[in-house]
């Protein structure tokens, strides 16, 4: 059968080897081709910015943001709009051409930095895709680094929306992206670069943590309603807290309630959002159940980032996108010149809709980010020292559709009662509604927040290491059972490896982009990465 595309960046890639006809995510071959070309153009621009920085020139924040937006747009389930991606390629080539005028010697630049864009883009995309790197191990590591940078760029984009930027992290993203074009780098060089990507992953998550907490306060223990009210509602999904803030401000006094979905659940933990009387609860579960749940919500849905499932016709006219996310046929809301967004269209749409249909009732308890857990430190230490808590299990990461992911539910159910789960990301939906009880008033599931809040779990581990006066973080009574789906999970994994955390169970399947030789190189070291025992 003719291969129409090749993509293996997510966990659900076809046959655990690669999507070649169409994406399991719903991405079509023509969209996949333009995404490949956008990454290629971004690598070319990054090669130019990296060379200019070596010469002491400064790169504008707008160029940094262009590159992070480009990478964010190519994350799984983010942008399915071919025309929008093409427009982004044009912007990237224009930015690169302006900067090329400042380069004194272009002979050292890779071909990606000099591509004119005057040939057939479809043919060019076919020549520069993933499989254009013939050496399997080099290809594996180049893609590992690229996917980590995509995940990091998502976090940088959210932080930037809250006016928090780090030029050093942006410079690294571009240097590393350009390095994936360098044929002189060996397997060992690329392994080192992958771990360095993890180092900057930690820095990027710290930046976003600072942006969120300075903007909205430190998350606190919160009971979140999962039922519904009788007002019409707007459902907000994705990860962007700044978009939520603007929506809540604009919807005050309109009679429209706002509900979170999937990774937006942790917004309820931030003190700043509790002042909004129409911010009423969380609706539904992880991203992959959205077709059924969006149908029943009745009102409009705002997708702020990735995690779009191609919508059913019955609610496509109620699905809105913004930021890096887009889907053909859905209304896209752009930011205005001042950086704000006008959500009046979606608010007026909501007023004409029925209230959400109730799909469940009750509450979810969360808000256990690092500041809140530090406040409970004495209580937790006492529980550990008394033997009431014997072990912590980090079960962070992504949820997904595969039946094998039921493993995480069963794993949580069968954990001994003296075990506490530390979680972040939408993987928590596999167990956060189970009745697992408490240990001395401490819930057995401590939800730190979104996938980027895995940073909180690292800080908690480092704090416990300090309290118990241990030399090695791996001596803590903590084990890691991480679920992954897309590229933000890749940067979390690289960050954990950079921090020297060992024996990470990764599943439900290992990434298809890790070649056998690359896997074996990791398995010869104490930081073994393997699938969970199913």
């Amino acid at each position: 059968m003719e291969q129409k595309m090749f993509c293996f960046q997510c966990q659900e890639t076809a046959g655990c080897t690669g999507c070649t006809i169409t994406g399991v995510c719903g991405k079509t071959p023509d969209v996949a081709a333009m995404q490949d070309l956008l990454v290629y153009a971004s690598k070319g621009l990054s090669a130019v910015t990296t060379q200019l920085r070596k010469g002491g020139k400064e790169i504008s924040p707008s160029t940094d943001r262009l590159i992070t937006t480009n990478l964010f747009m190519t994350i799984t389930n983010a942008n399915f709009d071919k025309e929008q991606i093409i427009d982004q390629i044009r912007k990237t080539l224009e930015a690169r051409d302006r900067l090329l005028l400042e380069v004194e010697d272009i002979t050292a630049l890779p071909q990606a930095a000099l591509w004119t864009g005057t040939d057939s883009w479809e043919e060019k995309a076919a020549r520069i895709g993933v499989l254009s790197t013939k050496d399997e191990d080099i290809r594996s590591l180049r893609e590992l680094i690229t996917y980590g940078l995509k995940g990091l760029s998502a976090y940088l984009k959210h932080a930037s929306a809250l006016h928090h930027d780090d030029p050093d992290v942006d410079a690294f993203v571009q240097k590393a992206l350009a390095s994936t074009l360098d044929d002189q780098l060996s397997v060992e060089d690329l392994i080192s670069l992958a771990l360095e990507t993890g180092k900057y992953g930690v820095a990027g998550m710290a930046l976003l943590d600072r942006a969120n907490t300075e903007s909205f306060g430190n998350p606190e223990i919160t009971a979140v309603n999962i039922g519904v009210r009788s007002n019409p509602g707007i459902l907000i999904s994705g990860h962007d807290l700044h978009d939520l803030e603007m929506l809540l401000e604009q919807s005050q006094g309109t009679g429209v309630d706002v509900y979170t979905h999937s990774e937006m659940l942790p917004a309820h933990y931030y003190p700043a959002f509790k002042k909004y009387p129409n911010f009423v609860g969380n609706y539904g579960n992880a991203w992959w159940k959205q077709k059924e749940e969006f149908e029943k919500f009745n009102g409009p849905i705002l997708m702020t980032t990735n995690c779009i499932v191609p919508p059913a016709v019955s609610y496509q006219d109620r699905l809105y996108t913004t930021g890096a996310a887009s889907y053909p046929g859905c209304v896209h809301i752009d930011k205005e010149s001042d950086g704000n967004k006008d959500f009046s269209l979606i608010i007026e749409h909501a007023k004409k809709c029925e209230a959400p249909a109730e799909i469940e009732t009750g509450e979810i308890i969360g808000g256990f980010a690092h500041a809140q857990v530090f406040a409970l430190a004495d209580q937790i230490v006492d529980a550990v020292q008394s033997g009431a808590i014997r072990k912590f299990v980090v079960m962070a990461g992504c949820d997904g559709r595969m039946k094998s992911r039921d493993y995480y539910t069963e794993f949580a159910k069968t954990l001994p009662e003296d075990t506490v789960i530390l979680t972040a990301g939408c993987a928590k939906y596999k167990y956060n509604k189970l009745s697992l009880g408490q240990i001395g008033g401490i819930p057995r599931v401590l939800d730190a927040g979104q996938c980027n809040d895995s940073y909180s779990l690292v800080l908690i581990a480092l704090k416990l290491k300090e309290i118990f006066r241990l030399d090695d973080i791996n001596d803590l009574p903590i084990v890691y059972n991480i679920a992954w789906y897309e590229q933000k999970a890749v940067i979390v994994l690289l960050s954990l490896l950079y921090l020297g955390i060992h024996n990470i169970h990764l599943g439900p399947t290992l990434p298809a982009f890790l070649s056998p030789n690359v896997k074996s190189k990791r398995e010869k070291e104490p930081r073994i990465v393997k699938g969970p025992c199913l």
Side-chain angles (χ1 to χ4, degrees), residues 161-205:
L162 296 170
H163 308 293
H164 283 66
D165 297 283
D166 187 331
D168 291 338
V169 178
D170 280 310
F172 171 78
V173 168
Q174 292 158 40
K175 183 195 80 170
L177 199 59
S179 294
T180 64
L181 298 169
D182 187 347
D183 292 331
Q184 302 305 310
L185 296 184
S186 67
V187 165
E188 293 304 324
D189 292 332
L190 290 169
I191 287 174
S192 296
L193 183 58
L195 292 177
E196 189 179 9
T197 302
K199 172 185 174 180
Y200 282 90
V202 174
M205 286 189 281

Side-chain angles (χ1 to χ4, degrees), residues 226-286:
I226 58 175
V228 299
R229 301 201 311 190
S230 58
N231 297 330
I234 296 170
L235 188 61
I236 184 167
S237 191
H239 303 75
D240 198 301
L241 297 180
H242 184 47
D243 284 340
L244 171 63
E245 180 182 38
M246 289 185 284
L247 178 63
L248 287 171
E249 284 288 343
Q250 295 174 36
S251 61
Q252 291 307 291
T254 64
V256 174
D257 288 338
V258 175
Y259 296 79
T260 55
H261 171 262
S262 194
E263 280 271 56
M264 290 298 284
L265 163 66
H268 293 277
Y269 311 155
Y270 288 93
F273 295 125
K274 295 182 179 182
K275 66 183 180 184
Y276 298 104
N278 67 328
F279 190 42
V280 297
N282 190 74
Y283 191 90
N285 295 276

Side-chain angles (χ1 to χ4, degrees), residues 128-395:
I128 53 81
V130 170
L131 297 180
S132 63
T133 300
K134 301 306 179 185
D135 185 289
E136 184 181 29
D137 298 331
I138 297 294
R139 179 200 311 148
S140 174
L141 289 162
R142 284 178 173 178
E143 295 309 306
L144 172 63
I145 292 163
T146 300
Y147 302 155
L149 295 173
K150 287 186 180 189
L152 175 53
S153 292
Y155 298 149
L156 296 178
K157 185 74 166 57
H158 294 317
S160 184
L162 296 170
H163 308 293
H164 283 66
D165 297 283
D166 187 331
D168 291 338
V169 178
D170 280 310
F172 171 78
V173 168
Q174 292 158 40
K175 183 195 80 170
L177 199 59
S179 294
T180 64
L181 298 169
D182 187 347
D183 292 331
Q184 302 305 310
L185 296 184
S186 67
V187 165
E188 293 304 324
D189 292 332
L190 290 169
I191 287 174
S192 296
L193 183 58
L195 292 177
E196 189 179 9
T197 302
K199 172 185 174 180
Y200 282 90
V202 174
M205 286 189 281
L207 178 69
L208 180 53
D209 178 80
R210 188 163 62 252
N212 286 338
T213 55
E214 289 181 3
S215 300
F216 310 120
N218 281 301
E220 56 193 22
I221 301 173
T222 304
V224 182
N225 176 45
I226 58 175
V228 299
R229 301 201 311 190
S230 58
N231 297 330
I234 296 170
L235 188 61
I236 184 167
S237 191
H239 303 75
D240 198 301
L241 297 180
H242 184 47
D243 284 340
L244 171 63
E245 180 182 38
M246 289 185 284
L247 178 63
L248 287 171
E249 284 288 343
Q250 295 174 36
S251 61
Q252 291 307 291
T254 64
V256 174
D257 288 338
V258 175
Y259 296 79
T260 55
H261 171 262
S262 194
E263 280 271 56
M264 290 298 284
L265 163 66
H268 293 277
Y269 311 155
Y270 288 93
F273 295 125
K274 295 182 179 182
K275 66 183 180 184
Y276 298 104
N278 67 328
F279 190 42
V280 297
N282 190 74
Y283 191 90
N285 295 276
W287 63 273
W288 61 276
K289 290 187 176 182
Q290 65 187 250
K291 277 198 172 181
E292 173 188 350
E293 294 172 348
F294 287 3
E295 183 78 54
K296 294 178 179 178
F297 184 75
N298 295 327
I301 304 103
L302 177 63
M303 298 298 304
T304 65
T305 65
N306 61 314
C307 298
I308 298 173
V309 173
V313 174
S314 57
Y315 68 82
Q316 183 167 341
D317 66 332
R318 292 191 280 115
L319 189 68
Y320 293 74
T321 62
T322 190
S326 187
Y327 194 87
C330 295
V331 175
H332 185 80
I333 300 174
D334 278 318
K335 65 181 179 181
E336 299 173 340
S337 58
D338 61 359
N340 290 319
K341 297 179 181 179
D342 181 359
F343 291 123
S344 58
L345 188 63
I346 192 170
I347 294 168
E348 290 305 312
H349 190 158
K351 292 178 181 178
K352 302 172 186 176
C353 297
E354 296 180 9
E358 189 168 82
I359 56 176
E360 56 190 339
T361 59
E363 293 179 332
I364 299 174
I365 306 296
F368 295 93
H370 54 89
Q372 181 63 80
V373 173
F374 292 172
L376 298 173
D378 290 343
Q379 190 177 345
I380 292 172
V381 169
D382 288 345
V384 172
Q385 291 178 334
S386 70
I389 295 177
R390 183 178 59 84
K391 192 173 289 291
F392 297 91
V393 181
V394 174
M395 293 179 68

Side-chain angles (χ1 to χ4, degrees), residues 5-10 13-14 17-20 27 32 76 130 147:
M5 59 178 283
F6 187 83
C7 181
F8 60 179
Q9 69 176 359
C10 84
T13 195
T17 57
C19 293
T20 59
K27 180 170 61 177
T76 304
V130 170
Y147 302 155

Side-chain angles (χ1 to χ4, degrees), residues 106-122:
I106 66 170
T107 60
L109 289 171
Q111 178 59 38
L114 304 174
W115 173 55
T116 62
T118 56
D119 51 347
S120 165
W121 285 19
E122 289 76 13

Side-chain angles (χ1 to χ4, degrees), residues 385-462:
Q385 291 178 334
S386 70
I389 295 177
R390 183 178 59 84
K391 192 173 289 291
F392 297 91
V393 181
V394 174
M395 293 179 68
C398 316
D399 198 11
R401 290 170 282 218
M402 282 191 171
K403 181 66 177 174
S404 58
R405 288 180 180 269
D406 289 345
Y407 158 85
Y408 296 102
T409 303
E410 297 307 313
F411 184 87
K413 285 180 179 178
T414 57
L415 283 173
E417 293 184 357
D418 57 4
T419 305
V420 170
I421 296 171
L422 303 175
T423 192
C426 66
K428 61 174 155 276
Y429 284 99
K430 279 288 185 270
Y431 41 80
N432 68 342
K433 295 174 184 176
L434 300 176
S435 298
L436 297 180
Q438 301 181 345
I439 300 175
I442 301 169
R444 287 191 56 223
V445 177
L446 301 183
D447 177 20
Q450 296 182 347
C451 51
N452 54 278
D453 292 310
S454 297
Y455 175 71
S456 270
L457 305 184
V458 169
L459 290 185
I460 290 166
L462 292 172

